[in-house]
Amino acid sequence: MSFKLRLDKAKEIGKNAEKALDTIIGSSTALRNSQKLSKTLSLISAIENPPFNFESLHANSFFSECTFRTAKASCLELIAPLESCRRELDIIQLDVDDVSKSLRDTRIALDDIIRRVNGQLGHLRRAQGLAQLPDEILSLIFKNVYAVFPHVLDRKAIPFCLASVCRRFREVACATPQIWNYIYFSGASPELLECLLLRSRNTELEVDFDLAGSYNKADQECFDKLFTLVGAHCNRWGSLCLNSSMALSRKFVDTLTQFLSSPRTFQSLPRLHSINIDLTEAENLFRVLDEHAPNLRAIATNAEFGPDEFDVKLPKSVTELNIHDCSRGICDIDVPQFVAMLQSAELQELDLYFESDNDFSCHYGPQEGPGEVMKIRFVVNSISRFSIDLVALGFAEDLFDSLYFPNLESVELKIHEFHRHIDCGEEENEEDRTAIGISERWFAGRKFPKLKSISLKMVLDYDFCLVNDVFFESNHILKIAESCPALESLELDCMHLTRSVLLPPLRWLILSVTLMDDWLQNYGKYLKKTGNLHKFKGLVLKGCQLSEGDAWIKNNELLRRLTPDFGDKVVMNRTVDVENLKPLGT
C-alpha cells in the first residue's frame, strides 16, 4: 500500500473515531445530568456494598424493589451505547496502530534518504572546497605525501596513484616534478624511465640501480639502454644507490667511470651528495668522483677489508662514511689501509656495523718477530661523531686498541655479548671479552676533551640472562667519565641488572635498563647536594623496569618514587636529541 493510500485510510479512521467520541461524549453528558441515574447509582451502590437492609428498602416508599429493577434496567440501557462505542474504539485503535507503524517505517525511510542526501551534500561541499584549494597547496600536499613514504614500493606507486584520482589531480601531479624524482631500474622499462625523467623536469634525482639476476648478453643490452637514458641526466643526480649482482656491479662501475672520465662525453655531477656502493669496486670510480662530484658528502657501503683486496682513497669532499655488513664471512682487516682510507678525506661522521655471525681479525702489517704482530694506535683527528656495532670478541679489542678519535663530540657503542664455552687449555681473558670490558677499552688511557654525548648499548645473550644474574659494574661510567671531562649526556641501554651505579653530574640521562635498589633516587639526591640539579635537564626512562625481589614495579609507581628527587624533570618513554640536548616528543 502506498503512502498516500495509508494516509487516506488514516484520515477516514480519524473521522470515524471522531464520530464515536461525539456519541460517547453525548451519552456521558446525558448520564451525568440525569437525576434518575444518580438515584439509581446510589441504590446500586447500597445494594452491592454490604451490609444491606432489605427491610429499610420495603419501608422506603420510593425505593421499592420494583423501582430498583426499573432503575437498573434504565442504567443498563443508558450504558449500552458506551459499550458499543468501546468496541468501535478498539477496532479504530488497531487501525491507528497499523497506520502508526506505516508512518514509522516511512519516517525511517525518509531519515535514510536524508542521510544519503546530506552525505552527497558533504561530498559536494568538500569537492567545492577542494576546487577552491589553490593548485600550489594541492601540490604541496602531494610532496608531503610522497615524502612520508620512504619505502621503495610506495615511492614507485604514489605518483601514479595520485595522478589517477581525477583529471585535476593528474594535472597537478604532472606539474609537481618533486614526486617523480625517484629513478629506479628494477622492473623499469625505457618508456617508464622516459616518463619519470620527463615529469621530474630539472629536479634532483634519486637514482637506484637495483638490478638482480644473472649477467648475460640480454642483461648487458638492457643495462646499456637504461643507463644511456639516465646517464644523459647525470647532472641532476642527487643520490646514487647500486644494489645488483656482482657482474652488473662491476659493469655499472666500469660504465659510469668511463662515462665520466671520457673527454668526448665529459660530464660532471654537481648535485651528487650521497652514494651507496660496494667499496671494493669503487677505487677507480672514487678517483673520478673526486674530480667530478664536488658536493659529494656521504658514502654508504658494504665492503670486505682484506690486506690485498683494496686500497681505496675517498673523495676529499666526503664527510660521512657508513660501512654496513662489513663482511660476508671470514675477514682480515688491514688496519693501516683502513685508517689510510679514513684519513684520505676530512671525515666528520663514521658509522661501522659488523655482522655478528662473521669472523673478523685485524692485520697490522709489519711483524716484530716470528708470530708476533706490532700493534699501532692510529689517530684520526677529523671525526667528531662515531657509531659502531660489533660483538665482544678479540677483534673488538684489537680494533678499539688501534683506533683513536680524539676530537669526538658524540659516540655510540653497541656491543653484543654471547655466552661462550671455553675449551680446556684455551686462554682467553673473559673479563675483557664482555660488553663492559670492550667498552672500557675504547676509553682506557685516552682523553676526549670535546666528547659531550655517549650512548652505550649492550646486548647480552638472552638465554644466558634467563638463568644468570648479570650485573652492571657500579663504577663503569665513572671510569669512562675520567676520559670525558665535557660529558653532558649519557644513554645507557643494556640487559644488565643495575645496582649501585655511580654517575658523574650530567645534563641528560637516558635509561633503558632494569633498575634495582634505589641508586637512581640517590643520584637525584647527589645532584641536589652538589648543586648540579639546576643544570640537569631531564631523566628519560625508555622501557625501564624496577625490580623489587620477585615483583615488578609499574611505571606510575616508578615515576612517583623519582619525583621527590628529580621533580618534573622525569620524562617517560620519549626520545631526545642528545646533540642539541632537548626532548623531541612522545
Side-chain angles (χ1 to χ4, degrees):
M1 184 182 296
S2 66
F3 176 72
K4 184 176 182 306
L5 293 177
R6 289 198 298 268
L7 188 60
D8 292 341
K9 182 179 179 181
K11 289 180 180 180
E12 182 181 355
I13 293 172
K15 290 179 181 180
N16 294 335
E18 183 179 2
K19 292 178 181 179
L21 288 174
D22 288 340
T23 303
I24 292 172
I25 291 172
S27 300
S28 300
T29 303
L31 289 172
R32 185 191 62 185
N33 296 332
S34 174
Q35 294 181 357
K36 183 178 178 181
L37 177 64
S38 177
K39 294 179 181 180
T40 303
L41 291 176
S42 299
L43 178 61
I44 294 171
S45 177
I47 294 172
E48 293 179 348
N49 293 305
F52 178 73
N53 190 353
F54 282 95
E55 292 181 356
S56 62
L57 179 62
H58 292 289
N60 191 326
S61 60
F62 179 76
F63 290 104
S64 63
E65 184 177 356
C66 181
T67 304
F68 167 73
R69 293 176 178 174
T70 302
K72 188 172 183 178
S74 299
C75 180
L76 295 175
E77 182 181 356
L78 292 171
I79 294 175
L82 295 178
E83 291 292 332
S84 177
C85 291
R86 184 180 63 79
R87 289 193 296 270
E88 293 182 6
L89 283 176
D90 290 340
I91 297 173
I92 292 172
Q93 180 64 44
L94 295 175
D95 293 335
V96 169
D97 292 341
D98 182 58
V99 173
S100 298
K101 183 177 180 303
S102 300
L103 289 175
R104 284 195 300 271
D105 294 341
T106 304
R107 172 75 177 274
I108 293 173
L110 288 175
D111 289 342
D112 184 61
I113 293 173
I114 291 172
R115 281 194 296 270
R116 290 201 300 268
V117 171
N118 288 336
Q120 293 175 358
L121 289 175
H123 287 301
L124 291 174
R125 293 191 191 100
R126 287 191 291 272
Q128 185 179 7
L130 186 62
Q132 295 176 355
L133 191 69
D135 289 349
E136 293 80 4
I137 302 299
L138 188 59
S139 176
L140 182 61
I141 294 173
F142 287 176
K143 294 177 188 176
N144 291 332
V145 170
Y146 181 71
V148 298
F149 288 97
H151 194 273
V152 171
L153 295 178
D154 295 328
R155 304 195 72 190
K156 289 181 180 180
I158 283 177
F160 296 97
C161 291
L162 292 174
S164 62
V165 173
C166 62
R167 180 178 299 176
R168 188 188 175 210
F169 272 42
R170 177 180 176 81
E171 294 174 353
V172 174
C174 292
T176 307
Q178 292 81 1
I179 66 174
W180 304 94
N181 69 336
Y182 180 62
I183 309 299
Y184 54 92
F185 275 27
S186 178
S189 63
E191 294 76 14
L192 176 60
L193 289 184
E194 288 178 353
C195 174
L196 294 174
L197 293 169
L198 177 63
R199 293 182 178 179
S200 61
R201 299 183 185 178
N202 195 38
T203 58
E204 184 179 285
L205 300 179
E206 299 178 32
V207 182
D208 188 350
F209 288 91
D210 188 359
L211 299 172
S214 59
Y215 180 65
N216 51 42
K217 184 176 181 181
D219 293 329
Q220 181 178 352
E221 293 176 355
C222 177
F223 175 83
D224 290 341
K225 183 179 295 186
L226 298 178
F227 183 82
T228 300
L229 287 172
V230 181
H233 297 264
C234 66
N235 63 324
R236 292 200 285 139
W237 291 3
S239 63
L240 178 63
C241 178
L242 175 63
N243 180 20
S244 67
S245 62
M246 293 298 295
L248 285 177
S249 175
R250 297 188 185 94
K251 171 65 178 176
F252 167 75
V253 172
D254 293 342
T255 303
L256 180 59
T257 303
Q258 294 173 7
F259 180 77
L260 294 175
S261 59
S262 173
R264 184 172 59 86
T265 58
F266 176 79
Q267 296 288 341
S268 64
L269 304 170
R271 300 191 188 184
L272 186 64
H273 55 77
S274 63
I275 185 171
N276 188 335
I277 195 171
D278 191 335
L279 199 60
T280 58
E281 302 293 332
E283 181 178 352
N284 294 329
L285 177 61
F286 280 175
R287 283 197 289 265
V288 176
L289 291 178
D290 194 16
E291 179 180 356
H292 298 293
N295 294 309
L296 181 61
R297 296 290 181 266
I299 293 179
T301 180
N302 55 333
E304 295 183 11
F305 300 103
D308 300 323
E309 292 184 3
F310 82 105
D311 183 11
V312 176
K313 304 299 180 184
L314 300 174
K316 295 183 178 61
S317 59
V318 173
T319 59
E320 179 180 350
L321 179 61
N322 185 322
I323 301 178
H324 54 89
D325 297 334
C326 288
S327 176
R328 302 179 184 90
I330 299 176
C331 184
D332 185 12
I333 293 183
D334 190 317
V335 177
Q337 287 189 1
F338 176 68
V339 173
M341 180 186 68
L342 300 181
Q343 294 175 333
S344 64
E346 291 295 317
L347 286 180
Q348 298 176 8
E349 300 184 16
L350 175 62
D351 295 322
L352 301 178
Y353 171 71
F354 294 88
E355 287 278 6
S356 61
D357 57 350
N358 292 325
D359 294 327
F360 300 90
S361 60
C362 291
H363 174 74
Y364 297 92
Q367 294 183 340
E368 287 187 335
E372 296 182 5
V373 178
M374 180 178 61
K375 294 185 179 180
I376 306 174
R377 177 172 293 179
F378 298 92
V379 179
V380 183
N381 291 304
S382 61
I383 295 177
S384 61
R385 193 190 70 81
F386 176 56
S387 173
I388 189 169
D389 186 332
L390 78 176
V391 179
L393 295 172
F395 163 74
E397 295 179 3
D398 294 341
L399 191 65
F400 279 19
D401 287 341
S402 304
L403 301 179
Y404 178 34
F405 309 141
N407 292 315
L408 280 180
E409 296 179 7
S410 67
V411 61
E412 177 181 343
L413 305 180
K414 186 172 184 179
I415 304 172
H416 303 258
E417 177 183 342
F418 298 99
H419 179 63
R420 298 177 300 279
H421 298 283
I422 307 301
D423 296 333
C424 295
E426 181 180 354
E427 295 182 1
E428 184 170 5
N429 190 340
E430 280 297 313
E431 183 178 353
D432 289 343
R433 297 294 175 86
T434 63
I436 294 177
I438 293 295
S439 62
E440 283 183 356
R441 298 184 77 94
W442 178 255
F443 297 95
R446 308 180 187 187
K447 287 293 182 182
F448 299 92
K450 299 181 180 180
L451 187 57
K452 294 182 178 181
S453 174
I454 296 179
S455 174
L456 294 179
K457 300 181 179 181
M458 303 180 183
V459 183
L460 304 182
D461 186 274
Y462 180 74
D463 294 332
F464 182 72
C465 290
L466 288 178
V467 295
N468 296 276
D469 290 336
V470 185
F471 289 92
F472 191 82
E473 292 184 1
S474 60
N475 61 344
H476 180 62
I477 303 300
L478 288 183
K479 291 180 182 178
I480 292 176
E482 293 176 358
S483 302
C484 315
L487 182 62
E488 295 182 348
S489 172
L490 171 67
E491 178 180 6
L492 181 59
D493 182 355
C494 66
M495 298 174 65
H496 299 74
L497 302 176
T498 58
R499 175 185 292 166
S500 302
V501 178
L502 302 177
L503 301 173
L506 299 168
R507 295 185 66 187
W508 284 97
L509 177 59
I510 307 163
L511 296 176
S512 179
V513 298
T514 299
L515 300 168
M516 301 188 71
D517 298 336
D518 53 358
W519 68 266
L520 194 53
Q521 293 95 311
N522 291 337
Y523 180 63
K525 293 180 175 63
Y526 162 75
L527 293 177
K528 285 183 180 180
K529 183 178 179 180
T530 57
N532 290 299
L533 187 60
H534 70 284
K535 300 179 182 178
F536 189 73
K537 297 300 182 182
L539 169 62
V540 183
L541 303 179
K542 299 170 62 176
C544 287
Q545 300 182 92
L546 177 59
S547 173
E548 286 189 350
D550 295 331
W552 297 98
I553 307 303
K554 296 182 178 179
N555 283 346
N556 53 358
E557 175 63 18
L558 177 59
L559 182 62
R560 187 190 67 80
R561 296 188 184 187
L562 294 175
T563 299
D565 298 307
F566 292 95
D568 59 355
K569 297 182 180 182
V570 183
V571 183
M572 302 292 291
N573 299 321
R574 295 176 69 181
T575 56
V576 172
D577 182 355
V578 295
E579 294 184 0
N580 297 316
L581 298 177
K582 61 182 180 180
L584 298 179
T586 56

